[in-house]
Amino acid sequence: QVQLVESGGGLVQAGGSLRLSCAASGRTFSTYTMGWFRQAPGKEREFVSAINWRGRSTLYADSVKGRFTISRDNAKNTVYLQMNSLKPEDTAVYSCAAAVNYNDYVRDPNNYPYWGQGTQVTVSS
């Protein structure tokens, strides 16, 4: 089992940047696929990005491709989401999640049994 804690959210102006971190407990972090999801008020949870256990495979939602970068440091049990060129429509609660497999369902939140509590990102226009 793994426990996840996000940090790094906040208020930023459009065009600005933030880096989210997700710290994991447990000795098996390096074996998990890690994902970032977001949920805006009144909307369903949305896939943002995922990275496999070695960090060699990554996937992005079309809405963030070219602006966001996911990475991980297995020695620090941490996954990151660097967010650049932020837009007001990026405003949401961002959550990290851990999954056993990196497969065709990596975009599906149901593939992830472990979740953090989320961190708020607000982008002002």
Side-chain angles (χ1 to χ4, degrees), residues 8-20 83 86-88 91-92 119-125:
L11 174 64
V12 64
Q13 289 188 332
S17 298
L18 284 174
R19 188 176 82 155
L20 305 183
M83 306 186 296
L86 283 161
K87 304 175 181 180
T91 295
T119 185
Q120 176 70 46
V121 171
T122 303
V123 184
S124 63
S125 58

Side-chain angles (χ1 to χ4, degrees), residues 2-125:
V2 61
Q3 294 182 327
L4 306 171
V5 179
E6 302 95 337
S7 61
L11 174 64
V12 64
Q13 289 188 332
S17 298
L18 284 174
R19 188 176 82 155
L20 305 183
S21 298
C22 173
S25 64
R27 291 174 290 180
T28 59
F29 169 79
S30 62
T31 67
Y32 285 98
T33 287
M34 298 301 296
W36 285 98
F37 292 79
R38 67 186 182 186
Q39 188 166 20
K43 295 188 176 181
E44 292 188 354
R45 181 175 284 170
E46 175 188 23
F47 170 79
V48 175
S49 183
I51 187 167
N52 76 334
W53 68 279
R54 298 178 72 177
R56 293 186 180 181
S57 294
T58 59
L59 189 66
Y60 297 93
D62 288 344
S63 58
V64 307
K65 199 172 296 182
R67 300 188 297 122
F68 290 11
T69 303
I70 191 171
S71 62
R72 68 189 297 161
D73 185 337
N74 287 340
K76 295 182 178 180
N77 279 13
T78 302
V79 63
Y80 305 97
L81 186 68
Q82 178 67 43
M83 306 186 296
N84 299 329
S85 302
L86 283 161
K87 304 175 181 180
E89 51 264 43
D90 294 319
T91 295
V93 174
Y94 284 71
S95 299
C96 66
V100 173
N101 296 311
Y102 189 92
N103 54 26
D104 291 343
Y105 304 100
V106 72
R107 296 174 184 267
D108 184 351
N110 293 317
N111 193 44
Y112 295 78
Y114 307 112
W115 290 83
Q117 83 289 349
T119 185
Q120 176 70 46
V121 171
T122 303
V123 184
S124 63
S125 58

